[in-house]
């Protein structure tokens, strides 16, 4: 049984930092391209960052230079380090895993199995 669990969200002041984690079990982690998505109230879900199976990273323009996506295959964990947070970064954040997938820019995508975390809230106060 596959489980994908996110952690690390919360409330932070503008200019602060948070690190989100996404730990998966029940799958072969190396097989997956992975990404972080977010959805703010009243807005569509958007890709934030993606990391390929080989470790190549891609970022949305709005977060480039502030966010860093990484993966630790030995720990079955995906991360995103978020620095210089802005109120506009407030959203529900989701991790997504695409089996044998790829990064279409900042969006993880594929045509095989995919799994999503339950979502975690990030709130940045001004």
């Amino acid at each position: 049984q596959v489980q994908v669990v996110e952690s690390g969200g919360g409330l932070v002041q503008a200019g602060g930092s948070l690190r989100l984690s996404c730990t998966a079990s029940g799958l072969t982690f190396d097989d997956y391209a992975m990404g972080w998505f977010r959805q703010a109230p009243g807005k569509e879900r958007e890709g934030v960052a993606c990391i390929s199976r080989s470790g190549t990273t891609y970022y949305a323009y709005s977060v480039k230079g502030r966010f860093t996506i990484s993966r630790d295959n030995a720990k079955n964990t995906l991360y995103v380090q978020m620095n210089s947070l802005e109120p506009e970064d407030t959203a529900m954040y989701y991790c997504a895993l695409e089996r044998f997938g790829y990064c279409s820019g900042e969006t993880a995508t594929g045509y095989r199995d995919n799994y999503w975390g339950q979502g975690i809230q990030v709130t940045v106060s001004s």
Side-chain angles (χ1 to χ4, degrees), residues 38-115:
R38 66 186 181 187
Q39 187 166 19
K43 294 188 176 181
E44 292 188 355
R45 187 177 66 196
E46 61 176 355
V48 173
C50 183
I51 185 165
S52 72
R53 295 169 62 200
S54 64
T56 305
T57 58
Y58 303 84
Y59 298 93
Y61 180 80
S62 59
V63 307
K64 199 167 186 178
R66 301 188 297 121
F67 288 16
T68 302
I69 189 172
S70 62
R71 61 191 292 166
D72 186 335
N73 291 344
K75 295 183 178 179
N76 279 19
T77 302
L78 172 72
Y79 303 97
V80 62
Q81 176 68 42
M82 305 186 295
N83 298 329
S84 302
L85 283 162
E86 304 168 352
E88 293 74 22
D89 296 315
T90 295
M92 187 73 78
Y93 283 71
Y94 301 88
C95 62
L97 285 65
E98 293 280 354
R99 186 167 181 241
F100 300 130
Y102 58 96
C103 295
S104 178
E106 68 273 13
T107 302
T109 190
Y111 305 98
R112 305 276 298 267
D113 305 335
N114 64 79
Y115 301 96

Side-chain angles (χ1 to χ4, degrees), residues 10-16 84-90 122-126:
L11 172 65
V12 64
Q13 288 189 331
S84 302
L85 283 162
E86 304 168 352
E88 293 74 22
D89 296 315
T90 295
V122 171
T123 302
V124 184
S125 63
S126 56

